[in-house]
């Protein structure tokens, strides 16, 4: 009799606890549903943002390609100036080669630059150019002869010599630019030696100059103000 009473009492307690556990389970289910819904909304928002960024990058890449292609098209058939729109580089073949331990370019470099510079300035002043084209870096390369610091100095001189051909009328009589164009060259072109970091298969081919087109990383970067240089009546090359 006593055993039966105990059993009945235990059963009654279990039946009394059921509503509590059912309510708790419903609450947890509801919270899990809300969590999953919030995660789904977050994932959709992130996916949308990623797609927006990807679309902007695709548009940027296409527009940069168009800038380079415009330069390439305007110089098609030049025979000397070579525009590579995969690496955004401009080279000059033999006209852009330096002699051993020398920073002077051959005479053919002057006319080649005279053909190239107006085209680059025109592309830079187009709507897409103003939006994306950041600068044109003049890279002077050396071979592997000599020490690192010696070659670094030589590569800087080679880059500077190209700037001399662009800005000093006495160094390049083939290039005649208006004052406004000369100012654009000062704003846009940058001399930056790179030593022998891009050595070619031969030492003769390594001693060269190339122009590297650099672009802004986003459309907001292009709104940043460019540095303003003092305008001089004439620029004089410091190299002999």
């Amino acid at each position: 009799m006593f055993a039966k009473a105990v059993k009945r009492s235990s059963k009654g307690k279990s039946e009394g606890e059921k509503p509590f556990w059912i309510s708790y389970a419903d609450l947890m289910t509801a919270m899990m549903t809300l969590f999953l819904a919030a995660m789904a909304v977050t994932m959709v928002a992130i996916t949308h943002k990623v797609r927006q960024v990807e679309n902007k990058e695709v548009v940027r890449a296409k527009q940069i390609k168009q800038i380079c292609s415009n330069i390439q098209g305007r110089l098609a058939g030049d025979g000397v100036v070579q525009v590579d729109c995969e690496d955004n580089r401009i080279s000059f073949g033999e006209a852009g080669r330096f002699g051993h331990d020398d920073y002077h370019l051959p005479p053919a470099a002057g006319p080649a630059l005279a053909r190239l510079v107006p085209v680059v300035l025109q592309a830079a002043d187009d709507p897409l150019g103003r939006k994306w084209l950041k600068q044109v870096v003049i890279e002077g390369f050396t071979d592997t002869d000599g020490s690192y610091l010696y070659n670094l100095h030589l590569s800087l001189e080679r880059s500077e010599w190209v700037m001399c051909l662009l800005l000093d009328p006495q160094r390049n009589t083939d290039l005649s630019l208006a004052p406004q164009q000369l100012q654009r060259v000062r704003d846009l072109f940058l001399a930056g030696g790179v030593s022998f970091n891009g050595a070619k298969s031969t030492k003769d081919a390594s001693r060269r100059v190339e122009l590297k087109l650099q672009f802004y990383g986003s459309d907001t970067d292009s709104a940043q103000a460019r540095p303003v240089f003092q305008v001089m009546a004439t620029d004089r090359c410091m190299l002999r």
Side-chain angles (χ1 to χ4, degrees):
M1 178 93 98
F2 181 74
K4 269 188 177 181
V6 172
K7 186 174 182 182
R8 229 182 349 258
S9 175
S10 176
K11 181 178 179 182
K13 182 179 179 181
S14 177
E15 291 293 336
E17 290 177 345
K18 275 185 179 181
F20 169 77
W21 292 112
I22 291 172
S23 299
Y24 181 75
D26 290 342
L27 176 62
M28 293 302 296
T29 301
M31 291 181 64
M32 182 60 68
T33 302
L34 287 174
F35 174 75
L36 292 175
M39 286 295 295
V41 172
T42 302
M43 290 300 296
V44 169
I46 292 174
T47 302
H48 179 68
K49 185 68 175 179
V50 169
R51 285 177 179 172
Q52 281 186 322
V53 172
E54 289 177 346
N55 290 337
K56 284 185 177 181
E57 283 300 313
V58 169
V59 171
R60 174 182 175 274
K62 287 182 178 179
Q63 292 182 345
I64 286 175
K65 183 80 170 181
Q66 185 61 48
I67 295 170
C68 185
S69 297
N70 288 342
I71 297 174
Q72 189 180 58
R74 290 167 186 165
L75 292 166
D78 181 86
V80 175
V81 182
Q82 303 162 12
V83 182
D84 180 0
C85 288
E86 293 300 321
D87 294 330
N88 294 318
R89 285 187 173 275
I90 301 173
S91 57
F92 304 90
E94 293 296 328
R97 301 278 176 85
F98 297 94
H100 178 70
D101 197 24
D102 190 9
Y103 56 76
H104 298 91
L105 285 169
L113 288 170
R115 296 190 298 272
L116 171 68
V117 173
V119 172
V120 172
L121 294 182
Q122 183 179 353
D125 288 333
D126 288 342
L128 288 181
R130 288 193 173 277
K131 181 178 181 180
W132 292 118
L133 185 56
K134 182 178 182 180
Q135 58 192 14
V136 182
V137 182
I138 304 169
E139 297 183 341
F141 294 88
T142 69
D143 56 32
T144 54
D145 291 343
S147 68
Y148 179 84
L149 289 178
Y150 176 83
N151 280 306
L152 178 61
H153 176 68
L154 180 59
S155 67
L156 287 169
E157 286 183 318
R158 288 174 173 175
S159 299
E160 184 181 348
W161 180 252
V162 176
M163 288 296 295
C164 288
L165 295 179
L166 297 180
L167 295 174
D168 189 340
Q170 296 183 355
R171 300 293 182 175
N172 186 6
T173 57
D174 294 290
L175 181 62
S176 178
L177 297 175
Q180 184 179 4
Q181 290 177 307
L182 288 172
Q183 186 58 40
R184 290 292 285 136
V185 170
R186 296 185 190 99
D187 295 339
L188 193 62
F189 285 77
L190 174 69
V194 293
S195 191
F196 48 79
N197 298 335
K200 295 287 188 179
S201 57
T202 65
K203 291 183 178 181
D204 287 340
S206 297
R207 298 189 295 266
R208 70 197 188 280
V209 65
E210 293 179 356
L211 305 184
K212 174 68 174 177
L213 303 176
Q214 291 189 343
F215 299 92
Y216 291 106
S218 67
D219 52 5
T220 56
D221 292 341
S222 58
Q224 296 178 358
R226 295 177 182 269
V228 178
F229 297 95
Q230 182 181 1
V231 178
M232 305 294 293
T234 57
D235 277 298
R236 184 167 62 90
C237 182
M238 297 294 104
L239 297 177
R240 296 183 178 182

